[in-house]
Amino acid sequence: MSLSGALNSAVSALSSQSSALAMISDNISNSSTYGYKTTTASFESMLTGSSSSAYSSGGVSVSSVSNISTAGLLVASTTSSNMAISGSGFFVVTDGANSNQTFYSRNGEFTTDSDGYLVNGDYYLQGWKTDAEGNIVGSSTQSSLTAIDTNSVATIASATTKMSLQANLPSNAATNDTFTSEVELYDSLGTAATSTVTWTKTGDNAWTASFSDPTAADGTTQLGTVSSSDITITFNTDGTLASTSPSPATLSIGAWTTGAADSTITLDMGTIGSSSGLTQLSSTADTLAVSLTQDQDGVSYGSLTGVEIGDNGTVYANYDNGEQRAIYKVAVATFNNADGLTAMSGGVYAASSESGGSTLHIAGTGGAGDVLGSKLEASTTDTNQEFSNMMSAQQAYSAAAQVMSTVNKMYDTLISAVR
């Protein structure tokens, strides 16, 4: 009985060490795989009943331990759409652009495919749509997740809807004196236009501002027609803005020859009682003039040149007109027991009963890690440690094989004695 027990123990050792070597082989082969998490062998003894007069061997069994929650080192990437999570959490991916089958990954080696989606192999990165300032449109829930599609924002153009003006209207100008300035604006098709502002002093601390019909860059081709009335402006005795009429001041433009929609532009001429916009102070210049500074929210037509990842997992679109707009936020999923996830091919994981369901977060909130652009998470494989484990497995395997050889010889001796 003891010889057969020894043989069974040796066989279990061969089987267990073979499994351990397979895990080591996987770890070494994936030492350059971004986001890869090692699997280690956990050995457990198997004992049967024994007494002081007899010993019955049991052997050994092995199980795999997934080290999914162990973070790898972050390394720099020259691809602007690559990303890594610093801290807890996983990227949310699906196996199709419109698929509801959700998986999770730490491999942020995402690139734009021919259809404009951010993908890693066969998996599509999920995120929430945002406005131009990076605020999520709608809710940050599972149902609002969508595949990140850069083709949906392949071009950009927007009309001017807001314009702020900063200038000093000289208080020492004579009544009925006029001054001109130019402002740039855009129609809804992204066509640039220029309008001339005529400032007319109508009395003490009183002015009007009138806008000319917008023209093209040549200064002569009319592109639209101003339909709003002149703006009346008054100042306090300390030169700060007292009022505008209408309030807020607006500029309305219609009949665009470009085919664009009518424009209504809100003019910010400053805060009442402050010098944040228009002021009326004395000028010491030999020739009085109005030097105007403007800021407006319109954008000329531009084509997408690429995407990059910013703070909190915000995906930005870059355009050839120099504009950059936020378009999506990358979702980060966390689990109560990340090590309980089920590993799948392609470096992704599926939720299981051991891992529990996922909780979605904006990066850097609710315990989720930060998403860093132009970074990748290296494999957690330590090749030095794996080579050490491999030699240990080899020695244990050879020793178990020697036990089998010894048991074989002892059986031969027993059989010879019987004969």
Side-chain angles (χ1 to χ4, degrees):
M1 185 65 180
S2 296
L3 284 180
S4 61
L7 183 61
N8 288 334
S9 293
V11 170
S12 69
L14 293 177
S15 175
S16 296
Q17 294 300 336
S18 296
S19 297
L21 188 62
M23 298 176 205
I24 294 167
S25 178
D26 258 355
N27 293 339
I28 292 175
S29 63
N30 284 283
S31 60
S32 297
T33 302
Y34 292 116
Y36 177 78
K37 307 300 180 182
T38 59
T39 300
T40 54
S42 175
F43 295 93
E44 183 178 2
S45 63
M46 297 187 299
L47 295 178
T48 58
S50 301
S51 65
S52 57
S53 58
Y55 180 83
S56 180
S57 61
V60 64
S61 65
V62 67
S63 60
S64 61
V65 176
S66 299
N67 304 307
I68 301 173
S69 59
T70 303
L73 294 175
L74 300 188
V75 296
S77 170
T78 57
T79 303
S80 61
S81 58
N82 286 174
M83 64 194 85
I85 298 175
S86 176
S88 300
F90 298 81
F91 299 113
V92 183
V93 296
T94 58
D95 56 2
N98 300 308
S99 173
N100 293 321
Q101 189 69 37
T102 303
F103 301 94
Y104 308 92
S105 177
R106 291 281 292 194
N107 186 353
E109 204 173 8
F110 294 100
T111 55
T112 306
D113 70 1
S114 58
D115 295 321
Y117 291 100
L118 279 183
V119 299
N120 186 346
D122 296 328
Y123 295 96
Y124 292 72
L125 180 63
Q126 302 291 295
W128 295 291
K129 289 184 177 181
T130 69
D131 59 23
E133 283 72 43
N135 301 308
I136 293 175
V137 177
S139 60
S140 55
T141 60
Q142 180 76 38
S143 60
S144 299
L145 279 180
T146 184
I148 295 179
D149 179 13
T150 62
N151 275 359
S152 65
V153 287
T155 60
I156 187 174
S158 62
T160 299
T161 61
K162 299 176 183 178
M163 182 185 297
S164 62
L165 304 175
Q166 290 181 310
N168 180 59
L169 308 183
S171 62
N172 48 332
T175 300
N176 297 323
D177 278 356
T178 61
F179 306 89
T180 59
S181 310
E182 287 189 345
V183 293
E184 185 181 44
L185 50 90
Y186 295 91
D187 68 13
S188 61
L189 301 178
T191 305
T194 301
S195 177
T196 299
V197 188
T198 300
W199 311 93
T200 303
K201 187 171 184 181
T202 58
D204 291 342
N205 302 324
W207 295 73
T208 61
S210 63
F211 289 80
S212 70
D213 294 334
T215 60
D218 59 14
T220 58
T221 304
Q222 183 176 332
L223 296 179
T225 302
V226 172
S227 58
S228 52
S229 303
D230 293 352
I231 300 165
T232 301
I233 307 165
T234 62
F235 293 94
N236 297 312
T237 54
D238 61 357
T240 59
L241 185 65
S243 67
T244 64
S245 180
S247 180
T250 57
L251 171 62
S252 299
I253 304 172
W256 287 100
T257 61
T258 60
D262 291 351
S263 299
T264 299
I265 303 171
T266 301
L267 302 175
D268 179 7
M269 293 186 166
T271 303
I272 301 302
S274 77
S275 57
S276 60
L278 298 183
T279 59
Q280 183 197 240
L281 301 171
S282 179
S283 173
T284 59
D286 293 337
T287 301
L288 298 180
V290 174
S291 179
L292 178 66
T293 300
Q294 71 156 125
D295 187 24
Q296 55 86 39
D297 62 351
V299 176
S300 64
Y301 173 82
S303 297
L304 184 71
T305 58
V307 297
E308 64 181 75
I309 312 303
D311 295 338
N312 298 325
T314 304
V315 181
Y316 290 97
N318 295 322
Y319 297 90
D320 58 9
N321 60 1
E323 290 291 319
Q324 183 183 72
R325 291 290 179 90
I327 54 174
Y328 288 91
K329 261 193 196 304
V330 175
V332 178
T334 59
F335 294 87
N336 288 332
N337 177 26
D339 289 333
L341 290 168
T342 300
M344 312 283 288
S345 295
V348 301
Y349 302 92
S352 69
S353 58
E354 291 186 17
S355 67
S358 65
T359 303
L360 299 180
H361 306 274
I362 297 172
T365 66
D370 292 321
V371 173
L372 306 178
S374 297
K375 298 282 186 181
L376 287 169
E377 183 179 0
S379 168
T380 57
T381 299
D382 181 345
T383 52
N384 291 331
Q385 182 62 52
E386 297 301 327
F387 274 114
S388 176
N389 293 342
M390 182 169 58
M391 288 187 288
S392 296
Q394 180 185 20
Q395 290 172 349
Y397 191 93
S398 297
Q402 187 62 44
V403 169
M404 293 184 66
S405 177
T406 302
V407 170
N408 180 57
K409 290 178 181 179
M410 293 176 72
Y411 267 123
D412 287 342
T413 300
L414 179 60
I415 294 171
S416 296
V418 171
R419 288 175 181 170

